[in-house]
Each structure stands twice: as structure tokens, then as C-alpha cells.
Amino acid sequence: MRLVLTSDDRIGVERDGGVVDVSAAFEDIRYRTAKDRMPRVLAVFQDRRSQIEELAASGEPIQVNGLQAPVPRPPKLIACFGNYMEGTNRERQTQDMFLESPESVIGPGGTVILPNHPATIFHHEAELGLVIGRRAKDLPADERALEVLAGYTCGIDVSARGMGRMGPSRMGKSFDTFTPIGPAIVTTDEVPDPQNLRVTMKVNGELRQDYSTSDMEYPVVEVLSFITGYMTLVPGDVIICGTNHQGLGAMQDGDQLEMEIEKVGKLSVSVVDPQKREWARGIDKEMADRVRAVGQS
Amino acid sequence: MRIATFDDQRMGVVANDDTMVDITDLLQQYDPLGPEDLLPDLITNWGDLKGELEQRAAAGGGKPLSEVKLNSPVVRPTKIICLIGNYREGTDRPIQILDIFFKSPEGIVGDGDTVILPPHQADIFHHEAEIAVIVGKTAKDLSEDEAMDAIFGYTAFNDVSARGLGRKGINSFLGKSFDTFAGFGPWITTADEIPDPQQLHITVDVGGELRQDYNTSDMERPIKELMTYLSSVTTLNPGDVICCGTNHQGLGSMQHGDAVTTTVEKIGGFTLHVEDTHERAWQRGIDEEMARRVRETGSGREGSQLTGRASS
């Protein structure tokens, strides 16, 4: 099942190339805005699956004028540090993650606005996203961990480089609009093997990133086990699994980004830079070489 | 005014006679979906509520503080933003680049609660006493003139920190986001009662021993600048928390059985207990090596466990 949130706040399921409104399954869920609604919806989503499936099968597709991020403001937005082997044969690095501002999320068709901060470059990082459906702590590093997932989605971890004091900057990834998420939450039954998915990022039609999740250093089950060793996950939390840096490139004013994950979907956003800065186009080869050599950006 | 959360997520005002006056009923008009909405609703409607809260506090009839259980005054902020090293600490080095990390809101605990040290093989677990700002309105790109008006109040914060975990050379700060590692208390003192937040004495006391002991006058980037800068990065929401960083001169270990009291002048103090199923032991007292390292290099060091079971 592919769950979406429409721009007019309806909860829908994709069917036959359209969207069927299944909001009726969540009528009892009190909320104020879509931001606090979706975590509450996801908390009951798995229990109401059959009811939602019935509504999706019986309803007529509706006219949809755009989608929001399926979780417009996750309770927590967690990102993995470099989590791909990237063609090296080094030992696995120590697993590590960090939190980003949940305010940075935007949806499909949204606009990434580059801030007036002195970043050395703004990179796109296409990543597999995990959307949490259940409270979870201390999960095992095996298939059982996947039971806490509401599903998978696409995430772009937009990254301002050269910000902050040390290492890859957490702050440079937390600007408003810097985490496009979507288009749908795709349930785990539609993605039987999350470690065998092709991920691509195109900028203005030019292929930049092109990798497989089979190259992931710590697979999804280990991502879930690791983070729940630190903190409780709650419904609506989003984890982005890290990127393969071979194929990163600049994002600049007027760019159209289209990322795609096999079986999960296609996420498109545009870029606006009021300062109209310019960087070399194409793949940032220096960055790619550095990550292969030293393991970090 | 002092705004508290107590007795399993009720909201109250601490009156001048140190009694807790329950105001939970007043907030029902905003139709809260859960206890996490109470503080943001109170902040958002502060202009309408302030007069009535003052009257209620003056009328008395509250419970003595000794008869209530305080909870963290911060229940579920959309963000806990923490400054990385933001004090001069007796050095004359150039001002460092402003940098932050986000702390898990799942870690929130309050006065009398217990910090549970995880089995992870940390080098040491430190207390970090800080002053924390409670954001008073939705704020983006604040000007200098607007910055202080976007503050609702202040509270005391202990940024419990596991050292030495994670990937070398990048410092993820994830060791600060274990569950129970974000201590707040005892309540929020509204901004009108703290005209100069850059002139407050902060201490940490562990079992009667004074550890941290510094003044917010030593802050590298003052609160006003934090408000303007951070609001240029991310939209701030009512009830969001900005933790202003610690002075590392006086950090020490937190270990099994400790009672750690964090106090900020004009706000008050709160105590966290420490539980460690591994009963690991580190040297007690101030971590002088850490203090020296921060003075000399601007960043800390790894600690060393003395006894207790090796952790997983």
C-alpha cells in the first residue's frame, strides 16, 4: 500500500494511477494541523490496515492537486552518517547518526530555498527513508526490527557544506526546506528486500547519483537496532539511511531535482537561491574521491 | 512568574509563597490534544492568560511544593537545540564558529527523576549545567530588535553527555541523546523576571560537592545572538528549547547512586538521580583533564573507567 497526504489534508491511498481518499478510517483522530496529525495517524495505521484496504478498494479516485510530505513534521528526524561502502574494501566504520531539525521537511513539488549563509556548496544526498509506525526501544538487529516500520519513503538530505565548527555539519543539513520527503509511505510488503533497491538522483535530467542499497554498510535492520539502543522511536519518526557520495553535485538556483527509489517512488523538488550563487555543474568528483579515501565528507 | 509542570503533567504557577497553584483547568479552553500542548498553548495565549494567572497565584490556596512531584517544565518541544561549547572558559582565543546539535526530546526528565546510564561503552558520563531559553513565538529570521521579545522564559538544564561513542573525527553528539539524558527544571521563570540573562550564576552539586560554578556573563555568543542566528537556520516554535552550552571547567562524572543538582540563579535548582546497572565507577570530583583540554584546544577528551563491569 502507498499512503499519501494530499495538499488539502486528505489521507489517501494510491490506486490505478490515482488517489483514493481513506480519511474516513482516521475520523476519530483529533488533530490541529497536518503536522501533528500524521504521527497520530501512523500510530493506528497498522491496526487499521484492513479497514484502510477496504476503503481503498471500494472508493473512487479523487482529483489531487499535489501532495504534502507524508510526515510534514516528524517528532524526530534522524540521519545516518556515511553508510555506504562506495566501492572501497575498507572495514565497516563505527556506526553513527545525528538528529536534524524536523522543521526542515518539505513535500513533493516543494522548493528548497538556499539560505544566505556562507556555505562552500549545497549538495543533494538521495537516501532511503524509514517511517516509524510503532514505539520502539532496543530492537534486535534482525527481521523483527522491520515490524516497527510504517513503511519506506524517499528523502533528500540537502547539505550545506563548510558550516559549523567540526566535521560534517549537522546545522548545514537543518535549514528550513532542506529535507524533502515523499511522495508516499510505501508499506514493507511492497518492498520485500530493502537492501536491493536502485536509488537515482537526476538534476535537470542529468544523472548524478546512481547506486543500490545493496551497498549499504549497516543495513536497515542494523540502523533500527542501533538507534533504538540510544533512544525510543515513536510513530512518525523518520530515519534517512545515509547516502552514497559517489555522484553528489551542486544544487543551485533554478535546478529541478528528481530522485527515485525503485519500488518506493519518485520525489521531485525545485531549487531557489535568492543570492543566485553558481557552482560547477555535474558530479562533484573531488568530494567523491575524498569520501572513498577517508570515509567522510 | 514561575510556570511548572507537576503531578503527572498538570500545569501550575508557583506562587510567591512557594505553593503550587493548579492552572490546568484554564488551559482546557484551548482543547489540548495531550499534555504536550499545554505549555505551547499557555505561551501562545500568554497575553490573555497572564492577568488571570497572577490573580490566581495571589489568591493562594495552592499546595506546598513539598507535597507535589515536579515534572520537567518542558514536555514535548518540537526541537531541543544545543549550542556546542559557548563559553570563554578563561581563555583569550578568538570567538569560535557558532555550531549546534539537536538533542532527542525523548530524553526529557525532571526534578527527582532518574538518569539511566546505558550499557554502551562510554569513556565517561558527564553532567553539563546550562541555562535554557524557552521560545515564546513562531520565529524565523529574527532581527536584533526582535530577538529578546521572542523569548518566553528560562529554565535550568543538564545536558547529560556520554563521551567517546561514535565515529572518530566527526562528533555526532549522539551520546547526548540517550533516553533520560535531558534534565530540565525546576520550572520556567518568565523573561520579565530575568532582565539580564547574561548575569546569572550556574552551579552543579554532586552529593554535596560543588562541581560547575560559573556565570552566564562568560558566554561566547550571548542569547540575543543565538536567537537571531538560529532563527536564520530553522523556524522556532513556541515551547522550543535553546540550550546555551556549558562551561566545561567543573564537569565531572555521573555514576550510580549520584544525586546531581543543577541550579541557575533567579530560576532555581533541580536534582537528578543516577542509576547504572553496571555500577561502573570513575574518579570522583572535577574532571581537570577535560577542563584543561577544553581551555587549550576547545574540545574535550575521553574519560577512563576505574572499576565495575565492562559494558557491552
Side-chain angles (χ1 to χ4, degrees):
Chain A
M1 191 190 301
R2 305 172 57 85
L3 195 71
V4 297
L5 177 63
T6 69
S7 55
D8 57 354
D9 284 351
R10 287 188 279 186
I11 297 165
V13 169
E14 290 183 8
R15 199 195 79 201
D16 304 334
V19 169
V20 178
D21 189 342
V22 298
S23 306
F26 306 105
E27 262 176 354
D28 60 319
I29 305 291
R30 297 172 65 221
Y31 66 96
R32 289 176 169 177
T33 69
K35 286 182 173 176
D36 65 63
R37 182 190 195 187
M38 288 312 290
R40 291 179 162 89
V41 162
L42 291 169
V44 300
F45 170 67
Q46 285 164 315
D47 290 343
R48 299 184 185 182
R49 184 82 190 259
S50 57
Q51 186 191 352
I52 299 162
E53 277 169 353
E54 276 170 35
L55 285 167
S58 60
E60 290 296 315
I62 55 171
Q63 179 71 31
V64 170
N65 296 311
L67 300 175
Q68 304 180 57
V71 195
R73 187 171 64 210
K76 293 190 290 298
L77 175 57
I78 299 161
C80 297
F81 277 112
N83 191 28
Y84 282 86
M85 295 305 290
E86 310 201 13
T88 68
N89 56 4
R90 54 173 161 70
E91 295 282 297
R92 291 208 301 185
Q93 301 184 89
T94 306
Q95 196 173 12
D96 211 351
M97 303 181 189
F98 62 100
L99 283 86
E100 296 189 9
S101 174
E103 214 65 48
S104 64
V105 170
I106 60 169
T111 303
V112 175
I113 299 170
L114 305 185
N116 188 13
H117 278 256
T120 51
I121 193 167
F122 297 91
H123 276 145
H124 50 77
E125 294 191 347
E127 311 194 2
L128 176 65
L130 315 177
V131 182
I132 304 301
R134 287 184 192 166
R135 278 186 82 86
K137 184 77 173 61
D138 296 321
L139 290 169
D142 60 34
E143 295 295 308
R144 286 171 291 173
L146 300 177
E147 291 169 11
V148 308
L149 294 181
Y152 300 98
T153 192
C154 299
I156 305 174
D157 187 17
V158 179
S159 303
R161 307 292 182 195
M163 304 285 305
R165 200 178 291 179
M166 53 185 107
S169 173
R170 302 152 293 275
M171 186 165 68
K173 292 165 174 275
S174 284
F175 287 101
D176 284 356
T177 75
F178 268 34
T179 315
I181 298 279
I185 298 169
V186 182
T187 52
T188 51
D189 53 299
E190 304 222 1
V191 186
D193 183 3
Q195 306 305 150
N196 191 21
L197 302 171
R198 185 178 177 200
V199 182
T200 56
M201 170 65 80
K202 288 180 185 165
V203 178
N204 306 324
E206 172 203 31
L207 186 65
R208 296 254 181 102
Q209 293 182 269
D210 183 6
Y211 68 93
S212 169
T213 57
S214 62
D215 188 48
M216 213 182 268
E217 201 160 302
Y218 291 90
V220 171
V221 293
E222 289 194 61
V223 166
L224 291 166
S225 175
F226 174 85
I227 195 64
T228 58
Y230 279 76
M231 63 188 75
T232 304
L233 294 178
V234 299
D237 280 350
V238 172
I239 302 173
I240 46 180
C241 294
T243 200
N244 183 319
H245 300 75
Q246 309 303 309
L248 301 194
M251 296 172 59
Q252 44 198 310
D253 189 54
D255 279 351
Q256 297 291 325
L257 271 59
E258 184 182 276
M259 91 162 269
E260 184 168 5
I261 302 179
E262 191 186 344
K263 295 191 168 69
V264 176
K266 214 180 259 189
L267 173 63
S268 301
V269 293
S270 53
V271 182
V272 165
D273 178 11
Q275 277 73 44
K276 313 282 184 201
R277 289 160 286 191
E278 287 186 46
W279 288 268
R281 297 196 174 266
I283 287 170
D284 186 339
K285 191 161 179 314
E286 191 201 324
M287 170 70 136
D289 292 345
R290 192 166 58 241
V291 173
R292 269 203 309 273
V294 303
Q296 64 190 53
S297 49
Chain B
M1 209 178 307
R2 294 179 290 178
I3 307 296
T5 301
F6 70 104
D7 287 355
D8 199 13
Q9 313 296 343
R10 303 192 68 77
M11 283 212 81
V13 172
V14 182
N16 290 334
D17 61 356
D18 281 349
T19 57
M20 182 72 76
V21 177
D22 196 328
I23 59 163
T24 314
D25 62 304
L26 261 183
L27 297 167
Q28 296 310 308
Q29 61 184 303
Y30 306 113
D31 202 14
L33 301 179
E36 68 276 10
D37 286 339
L38 297 177
L39 178 64
D41 285 349
L42 177 128
I43 292 173
T44 305
N45 299 287
W46 182 244
D48 297 334
L49 290 169
K50 187 170 181 253
E52 188 161 1
L53 297 183
E54 282 169 344
Q55 282 174 17
R56 282 216 189 179
K63 278 188 187 173
L65 283 181
S66 58
E67 291 176 20
V68 303
K69 163 70 176 83
L70 288 173
N71 304 131
S72 166
V74 172
V75 177
R76 182 75 210 197
T78 63
K79 295 184 283 299
I80 302 174
I81 305 175
C82 295
L83 268 291
I84 297 172
N86 191 33
Y87 281 87
R88 304 295 301 160
E89 310 201 14
T91 69
D92 55 1
R93 61 166 179 244
I95 287 189
Q96 300 183 92
I97 294 166
L98 190 155
D99 205 357
I100 57 170
F101 64 92
F102 295 86
K103 186 152 171 135
S104 168
E106 239 59 61
I108 291 173
V109 291
D111 183 50
D113 291 344
T114 300
V115 173
I116 297 169
L117 304 186
H120 295 59
Q121 184 87 55
D123 293 317
I124 195 167
F125 297 90
H126 276 143
H127 50 76
E128 293 194 349
E130 309 189 4
I131 182 170
V133 173
I134 308 299
V135 173
K137 55 175 72 161
T138 304
K140 181 73 173 133
D141 295 325
L142 290 167
S143 69
E144 281 195 29
D145 287 345
E146 298 164 331
M148 299 309 279
D149 289 338
I151 296 174
F152 175 73
Y154 302 92
T155 190
F157 171 57
N158 195 324
D159 183 18
V160 181
S161 304
R163 308 288 181 197
L165 298 173
R167 194 174 293 182
K168 298 297 173 204
I170 55 176
N171 212 340
S172 67
F173 294 88
L174 200 65
K176 292 164 174 273
S177 278
F178 284 102
D179 285 355
T180 75
F181 271 32
F184 291 98
W187 39 65
I188 297 164
T189 299
T190 51
D192 56 310
E193 298 195 3
I194 303 184
D196 184 2
Q198 306 302 151
Q199 201 60 251
L200 300 173
H201 185 209
I202 297 181
T203 59
V204 165
D205 174 293
V206 180
E209 176 200 32
L210 183 66
R211 297 259 182 99
Q212 292 183 268
D213 181 11
Y214 70 96
N215 197 287
T216 57
S217 61
D218 189 48
M219 210 181 275
E220 194 158 297
R221 295 185 188 263
I223 289 169
K224 187 183 200 176
E225 185 178 347
L226 302 182
M227 296 298 290
T228 56
Y229 191 94
L230 296 176
S231 70
S232 80
V233 174
T234 182
T235 301
L236 303 174
N237 296 313
D240 276 0
V241 184
I242 297 170
C243 307
C244 300
T246 200
N247 183 320
H248 300 76
Q249 311 302 310
L251 300 195
S253 70
M254 292 176 71
Q255 46 193 301
H256 186 68
D258 279 351
V260 180
T261 301
T262 306
T263 306
V264 178
E265 185 184 354
K266 291 190 194 292
I267 299 171
F270 72 99
T271 298
L272 299 174
H273 303 285
V274 183
E275 186 179 306
D276 176 10
T277 53
H278 287 71
E279 303 201 14
R280 288 161 286 189
W282 288 269
Q283 191 170 344
R284 297 197 173 266
I286 288 171
D287 188 339
E288 298 290 356
E289 172 66 11
M290 173 80 172
R292 183 187 61 76
R293 277 281 298 264
V294 174
R295 282 198 308 274
E296 291 177 0
T297 70
S299 77
R301 65 137 185 156
E302 341 274 82
S304 44
Q305 183 182 334
L306 297 176
T307 62
R309 204 143 50 88
S311 52
S312 56

